[in-house]
Amino acid sequence: MSRARVGVLASGRGSNMAALDAAMRRGEVPAEIVLVLSDRPQAPVLELARERGIAAAAIPRTDDRESHEQALVAALREAEAEWVCLAGYMRLLGGTFIGAFAPRILNIHPSLLPAFPGLEAQRQAIEHGVRVSGCTVHLVDEGLDSGPIVGQSAVEVEPADDVEALAARILGAEHQLYPRCLAELLRRPFVLDGRRLRFC
Ligand code: GRF
């Protein structure tokens, strides 16, 4: 099977980018990361990517979302990316970006969507008092963490958990789930039936 060319957008630490790359190098995902882009020039993900031999660049965010998205699309097209994985990318994407790559744009979110979209999902889960949370990989649309669900992984909330402890356990689950979902999408044809993603 030929390897899909994947671009990653990230704003911060980059552990999901590294988990995707590691799974690809182990042969678990028929893909390669061809470019990592960040809207934050100081984001650790850029250095982490370069250490792994992956091309990485900052395209700093501007108030003009349209021109920012055009620049992201141009860089990803230049790198011949076919899929885009958001991995801690902290800006909503609009029609210009989504129109260029949908439905081949994925995001990972640290809750069982549709519960707790948006920022600080792990804090929301603790404060709500849920007994089970987890993470979700979904296709990206213009809403906030709202696209069709590809896969989910549940994580129990322990009584003694604070936000950091829960976030760390969910992150471990994220690193398993994201490569698994990407591999499944690359290996099996899928259709969208309303919000429901079905593998054929
Ligand atoms: C992860 O918790 C992810 O679910 C969320 O942002 C965080 C990114 O972490 N969207 P990292 O940069 O991949 O380490």
Side-chain angles (χ1 to χ4, degrees), residues 12-17 87-90 107-110 122 171 174-175:
R13 180 175 54 184
S15 72
N16 277 288
M17 180 282 295
Y89 186 66
M90 301 302 284
N107 183 41
I108 185 150
H109 182 75
Q122 303 94 332
L171 191 65
E174 293 180 41
H175 295 163

Side-chain angles (χ1 to χ4, degrees), residues 137-197:
V137 171
H138 64 92
L139 301 185
V140 172
D141 61 17
E142 288 189 45
L144 178 63
D145 302 320
S146 63
I149 290 169
V150 181
Q152 295 185 299
S153 180
V155 172
E156 288 204 16
V157 183
E158 305 294 344
D161 274 346
D162 58 14
V163 174
E164 289 69 31
L166 178 62
R169 282 209 313 291
I170 291 177
L171 191 65
E174 293 180 41
H175 295 163
Q176 308 291 316
L177 181 70
Y178 211 171
R180 189 153 54 74
C181 287
L182 177 59
E184 198 160 27
L185 288 168
L186 293 175
R187 290 196 171 110
R188 299 174 63 187
F190 63 92
V191 290
L192 283 170
D193 172 12
R195 285 195 48 85
R196 301 177 72 185
L197 186 147

Side-chain angles (χ1 to χ4, degrees), residues 17 21 54 58 67 70 74-75 80 82 86 91 95 97 109 113-114 124 132 140 142-143 165 182 185 189 196:
M17 180 282 295
D21 180 52
I54 301 169
S67 67
Q70 282 171 3
E80 298 180 17
E82 302 158 303
L86 309 187
R91 190 176 206 190
F97 191 91
H109 182 75
L113 291 170
Q124 294 183 55
V132 178
V140 172
E142 288 189 45
L182 177 59
L185 288 168
R196 301 177 72 185

Side-chain angles (χ1 to χ4, degrees), residues 83-102:
W83 286 75
V84 179
C85 288
L86 309 187
Y89 186 66
M90 301 302 284
R91 190 176 206 190
L92 265 185
L93 292 165
T96 296
F97 191 91
I98 295 189
F101 288 101

